[in-house]
Amino acid sequence: GIQVEQSPPDLILQEGANSTLRCNFSDSVNNLQWFHQNPWGQLINLFYIPSGTKQNGRLSATTVATERYSLLYISSSQTTDSGVYFCAVINTGTASKLTFGTGTRLQVTL
Amino acid sequence: DAGVTQSPTHLIKTRGQHVTLRCSPISGHKSVSWYQQVLGQGPQFIFQYYEKEERGRGNFPDRFSARQFPNYSSELNVNALLLGDSALYLCASSLVQGYHEQYFGPGTRLTVT
């Protein structure tokens, strides 16, 4: 099956810093989503981005499907950004089955 | 509009028992998927249902089963519980089957003792 790897696995930032999270996948995809999982386990949708670039406030994401990677940018980080960030993909031909990456655990400190 | 809802929030069961978890999708969504997330890992796909039919199944034993009702809500059943079934069970809904965006509920945290 498709492999989804995220880097870095852990990240500690001071409030106000910027960061880039990376998601690499091993096969063609028709869906790519970025999620933020809060300490209570809720998966919050950040972006649905099978290709192209999107921005939402301090967050933006870019997916280059032909090169099989996606990037999530967080600018001016806040303590509320802490948590685990997951990239998840649907491999072409496996409709509706999201395969999640390994996650990036982000801690933002004062 | 309400998001995806799941019940119960938390559950403690004993090995060998049976458990039923429930999920209501976003209004208008017809596809429901179930995922299992064990501590420290990403969610793993268990089932997908669309129009009351199973459309996809992950690598889980037959102790796991599910169904979808005419109102598009869904149940996940797990028989003969094992300690390793302790996990956060997540339900996701999407408009229809396919590559559409999926939205997750808050999850049910199951502890098997």
Side-chain angles (χ1 to χ4, degrees):
Chain A
I2 191 169
Q3 303 299 312
V4 184
E5 294 185 358
Q6 293 183 239
S7 60
D10 295 280
L11 189 57
I12 300 175
L13 298 174
Q14 272 199 321
E15 199 172 42
N18 303 327
S19 61
T20 301
L21 282 57
R22 187 176 180 102
C23 171
N24 292 330
F25 41 95
S26 61
D27 203 350
S28 61
V29 300
N30 290 90
N31 173 343
L32 189 144
Q33 293 185 238
W34 281 98
F35 297 93
H36 174 211
Q37 189 165 41
N38 66 22
W40 298 272
Q42 175 77 57
L43 280 169
I44 299 163
N45 288 42
L46 298 177
F47 293 102
Y48 169 75
I49 186 167
S51 64
T53 297
K54 291 186 178 180
Q55 180 157 5
N56 184 4
R58 297 182 296 105
L59 303 181
S60 64
T62 295
T63 297
V64 184
T66 53
E67 296 187 22
R68 298 181 182 169
Y69 74 90
S70 182
L71 302 173
L72 176 69
Y73 305 95
I74 305 175
S75 64
S76 304
S77 58
Q78 301 175 358
T79 56
T80 52
D81 295 332
S82 296
V84 182
Y85 289 79
F86 285 106
C87 160
V89 303
I90 294 181
N91 192 192
T92 302
T94 61
S96 298
K97 173 189 173 183
L98 274 173
T99 298
F100 281 76
T102 48
T104 292
R105 183 173 300 275
L106 172 65
Q107 183 180 352
V108 181
T109 62
L110 292 171
Chain B
D1 282 343
V4 179
T5 60
Q6 293 186 243
S7 63
T9 305
H10 295 87
L11 203 51
I12 300 175
K13 289 286 191 178
T14 305
R15 276 176 298 175
Q17 285 187 318
H18 163 270
V19 68
T20 298
L21 310 181
R22 295 177 175 84
C23 169
S24 291
I26 292 171
S27 177
H29 284 197
K30 298 182 178 181
S31 176
V32 170
S33 298
W34 287 94
Y35 294 80
Q36 179 197 64
Q37 185 177 23
V38 299
L39 199 61
Q41 298 181 19
Q44 298 289 317
F45 173 78
I46 309 175
F47 286 112
Q48 190 240 342
Y49 275 78
Y50 175 63
E51 293 289 10
K52 302 184 291 295
E53 291 187 9
E54 181 183 305
R55 303 297 180 126
R57 171 186 279 260
N59 188 23
F60 281 80
D62 292 344
R63 299 184 296 107
F64 289 76
S65 64
R67 55 180 176 167
Q68 187 178 34
F69 300 98
N71 66 354
Y72 303 108
S73 67
S74 178
E75 282 183 356
L76 175 70
N77 296 283
V78 187
N79 292 324
L81 285 166
L82 304 174
L83 294 180
D85 295 330
S86 295
L88 180 66
Y89 288 85
L90 295 161
C91 172
S93 81
S94 60
L95 201 57
V96 292
Q97 183 188 6
Y99 306 124
H100 302 271
E101 187 170 7
Q102 297 188 26
Y103 299 85
F104 283 79
T108 293
R109 195 167 297 276
L110 172 65
T111 302
V112 182
T113 62

